[in-house]
Amino acid sequence: MSNLNNQIALVTGAGRGIGQAIASKLAGAGADIAAVDLKVEFCAETCEKVRALGRRAWAYGADVSKAAAVDETVEKVLADCGRVDILVNNAGITKDTLLMRMSEADWDAVLSINLKGTFLFTKALTRSFVKQRSGRIINIASVIGLVGNAGQCNYAASKAGVIGLTKSVARELASRGITCNAIAPGFIETSMTAVLGDDVRQKLLAQIPLGRLGSPDDVANAALFLASDQAAYITGQVLTVDGGMVM
Ligand code: NAP
């Protein structure tokens, strides 16, 4: 059993989906949770779940793509919680369309939230990780960042960027006892994939050797492992959680 007792985990995009599952999973292993979402009220359900598990929860509203909001949030979290041991950069969006139709705004929004948001939170917490000579950074990428996808140029570029960022941060901070890894989920049942039509869903299922879409809990289990002592010697890696779709 993983033991995260007395550790503090900051999870972005914690209000629902994979972020909520990760917050609950880490809390189940003993961590207290600083939940961040676009609006503070979006964190209410997650905080309730964390408290029901007997752990402390704090809620923050911040747009991860805005440097001032991120810095202010990290300052508040450190004041409220005393420290952060685990950072999970999970907030993300899609704005899918074919390249020829993709607007500059669609490109900028996805890159700003998925990639720049990960950079901003990582940068804002690095000083305190270095000072405490420990820290676990877990970035939620995507298999699309590994293999690309028609209609997702912006998303694929953002997630490939997250993987490059992960490896660079891992190299830069390893000597300070800080690890940085990415999880690349495949197709996971959340509101992000609920919009897919039945035909697309069937085509996807045909490509998944394990024969089902993933659950947020499947991704949360990988996050728990990377946050745990069992993963102390793992850094700069991309852990694919996709039912075998990309191998
Ligand atoms: P989701 O259900 O849409 O949840 C995303 C969360 O991020 C929401 O709570 C959302 O808040 C929050 N968020 C969006 N923009 C934000 C911003 N600017 N600042 C702060 N929070 C923001 O999506 P999900 O499926 O759980 O995805 C979580 C992560 O997994 C994403 O990085 C996604 O790219 C990645 N992923 C998902 C899948 C999949 O199949 N679902 C596959 C691979 C990777 P709101 O409630 O305000 O929208």
Side-chain angles (χ1 to χ4, degrees):
M1 259 305 266
S2 304
N3 184 349
L4 300 181
N5 276 346
N6 303 318
Q7 298 205 26
I8 311 281
L10 188 162
V11 182
T12 71
R16 58 191 163 106
I18 293 170
Q20 182 176 80
I22 292 174
S24 301
K25 186 68 69 176
L26 299 183
D32 295 325
I33 304 295
V36 179
D37 211 297
L38 205 48
K39 294 222 155 65
V40 67
E41 57 268 29
F42 296 166
C43 300
E45 189 182 280
T46 301
C47 288
E48 234 170 75
K49 286 180 183 242
V50 168
R51 291 186 190 119
L53 290 162
R55 306 312 314 178
R56 293 180 296 170
W58 298 265
Y60 305 89
D63 180 340
V64 298
S65 67
K66 302 281 187 286
V70 171
D71 289 346
E72 197 182 306
T73 302
V74 165
E75 234 172 77
K76 277 194 220 157
V77 170
L78 290 173
D80 293 344
C81 313
R83 62 185 278 138
V84 171
D85 302 284
I86 302 155
L87 166 65
V88 184
N89 286 304
N90 164 79
I93 61 163
T94 51
K95 284 198 182 289
D96 299 349
T97 190
L98 294 172
L99 175 63
M100 286 207 295
R101 288 193 203 129
M102 191 172 287
S103 67
E104 187 181 357
D106 289 342
W107 174 269
D108 286 347
V110 170
L111 269 290
S112 298
I113 293 171
N114 298 8
L115 179 55
K116 186 176 159 195
T118 301
F119 156 71
L120 289 174
F121 258 101
T122 304
K123 183 180 173 203
L125 270 167
T126 290
R127 197 179 300 277
S128 74
F129 283 152
V130 167
K131 222 192 261 169
Q132 71 201 25
R133 295 194 79 78
S134 69
R136 294 293 170 92
I137 303 164
I138 300 165
N139 297 328
I140 307 303
S142 167
V143 290
I144 302 304
L146 295 170
V147 298
N149 197 19
Q152 290 198 301
C153 287
N154 49 0
Y155 187 74
S158 75
K159 296 301 190 179
V162 166
I163 290 169
L165 174 66
T166 300
K167 293 180 181 187
S168 302
V169 169
R171 287 184 187 277
E172 209 167 303
L173 301 181
S175 65
R176 313 301 173 100
I178 300 157
T179 70
C180 181
N181 292 289
I183 296 172
F187 284 88
I188 309 298
E189 297 271 16
T190 69
S191 53
M192 195 177 266
T193 46
V195 291
L196 299 176
D198 263 358
D199 48 333
V200 180
R201 201 169 270 265
Q202 287 313 315
K203 278 190 194 135
L204 282 172
L205 275 174
Q207 295 172 46
I208 302 173
L210 284 177
R212 64 170 176 88
L213 266 65
S215 70
D217 232 33
D218 289 320
V219 181
N221 283 328
L224 173 59
F225 168 64
L226 290 173
S228 74
D229 277 351
Q230 282 78 12
Y233 197 55
I234 299 175
T235 197
Q237 302 304 306
V238 183
L239 179 51
T240 299
V241 179
D242 68 346
M245 191 170 68
V246 172
M247 62 168 96

